[in-house]
Amino acid sequence: MISLRGIEKRYEMGGEIVKALDSVDLDIGQNEYVALTGASGSGKTTLMNIIGCLDTPTAGNYQLNGRDVSSLDESSLASVRNQDIGFVFQSFHLLPRLTVVQNVMQPLVYRGIRVAQRKEMAIEALVRVGLGNRLNHLPNQLSGGQRQRVAIARAMVGSPAILLADEPTGNLDLRTTAEIMELFHSLHASGNTLVVVTHEPDIAAHCHRTLRVSEGKIAEDISRPGGSK
Ligand code: ADP
Ligand code: MG
């Protein structure tokens, strides 16, 4: 479903060229659960952003579900993102003035779904992440773990096939991290494809496949069939 060939991303900064990604070839199939590891600055976020259609490569080909998305313009990319991809960030990225349920309804606005149904879908997603009793709170009235669960509900509300998470537990304590990983585990069990950037060995141990990124390349690709606990 995800197929990258010769993907390159270069940045030019003050005359110096940085190759954030360098000829990356990568296939990720449906319902895989992949951990992305590697040192800071190795290219993990750049790779996630390209997989998630938040960014385009400077060279190479990206096929998502058989469609070439490597050279789409911004509005086509936005529509692919909205349909196919859910994103979870380390710092949650919730809208501070919107309530929990309004935050989760947000991605559905662009799908032409009526407000009553949007609300129903958002509540269902929030119940699923265990926050059915926090619908009308504001993000700053929640703990970090609860905020991340709201972000996960928002990522999943439109039933995208692919969930991408960039260091989703980087701001959370150990116990909350375990809860979030449990949630990812159940999303995977219900058929989603997950790619998670993480530094935690425990998290990588949940996954079926670990990719290590080093200096813009996939340095290691280890599969452990049935590796999920
Ligand atoms: P990671 O997520 O593994 O820490 P990144 O993908 O964020 O790494 O960054 C990879 C490399 O690309 C780094 O050297 C970083 O400085 C560079 N980089 C990332 N984004 C930009 C940008 N917008 N402009 C210039 N350089 C960038
Ligand atoms: Mg990063």
Side-chain angles (χ1 to χ4, degrees):
M1 93 188 307
I2 291 168
S3 181
L4 308 177
R5 287 296 173 272
I7 291 291
E8 184 187 282
K9 180 74 183 183
R10 9 163 122 220
Y11 293 108
E12 215 179 313
M13 292 267 288
E16 197 199 339
I17 290 176
V18 177
K19 265 195 187 178
L21 292 176
D22 187 6
S23 47
V24 170
D25 297 327
L26 176 62
D27 290 291
I28 297 175
Q30 200 165 346
N31 200 214
E32 280 201 67
Y33 188 179
V34 180
L36 212 59
T37 66
S40 173
S42 57
K44 304 179 299 294
T45 293
T46 306
L47 181 57
M48 289 295 258
N49 288 347
I50 287 175
I51 293 175
C53 295
L54 287 167
D55 205 352
T56 48
T58 41
N61 184 270
Y62 175 19
Q63 304 266 336
L64 176 62
N65 296 320
R67 178 174 179 204
D68 185 355
V69 293
S70 21
S71 50
L72 292 180
D73 62 20
E74 181 43 44
S75 81
S76 314
L77 280 178
S79 119
V80 171
R81 278 200 302 273
N82 192 250
Q83 287 296 324
D84 295 336
I85 293 159
F87 231 113
V88 176
F89 302 92
Q90 177 171 3
S91 49
F92 321 134
H93 291 201
L94 300 175
L95 295 171
R97 289 172 206 280
L98 297 188
T99 64
V100 162
V101 74
Q102 286 168 340
N103 265 282
V104 176
M105 286 164 70
Q106 207 60 19
L108 303 173
V109 171
Y110 310 101
R111 294 204 184 178
I113 297 170
R114 290 170 57 181
V115 67
Q117 197 193 342
R118 284 198 304 244
K119 190 164 185 185
E120 208 170 289
M121 290 166 76
I123 292 171
E124 203 178 293
L126 283 160
V127 167
R128 197 164 166 207
V129 300
L131 287 177
N133 56 353
R134 293 289 188 278
L135 300 179
N136 297 312
H137 283 56
L138 291 169
N140 69 9
Q141 297 170 323
L142 301 177
S143 71
Q146 289 171 332
R147 287 181 211 189
Q148 195 59 303
R149 283 191 274 153
V150 175
I152 293 170
R154 180 184 56 187
M156 300 313 303
V157 72
S159 308
I162 303 171
L163 181 67
L164 304 176
D166 193 353
E167 307 196 36
T169 61
N171 284 333
L172 304 177
D173 60 37
L174 274 179
R175 214 189 97 215
T176 317
T177 293
E179 284 170 19
I180 296 294
M181 293 324 294
E182 207 46 58
L183 199 50
F184 283 160
H185 198 66
S186 77
L187 290 171
H188 174 247
S190 65
N192 284 105
T193 305
L194 269 70
V195 185
V196 182
V197 175
T198 182
H199 295 295
E200 320 244 356
D202 279 5
I203 296 178
H206 270 80
C207 299
H208 296 125
R209 184 175 174 196
T210 302
L211 300 171
R212 188 168 60 80
V213 181
S214 173
E215 296 181 358
K217 295 172 186 291
I218 309 280
E220 224 174 7
D221 182 351
I222 302 168
S223 287
R224 302 180 310 117
S228 189
K229 67 164 192 175

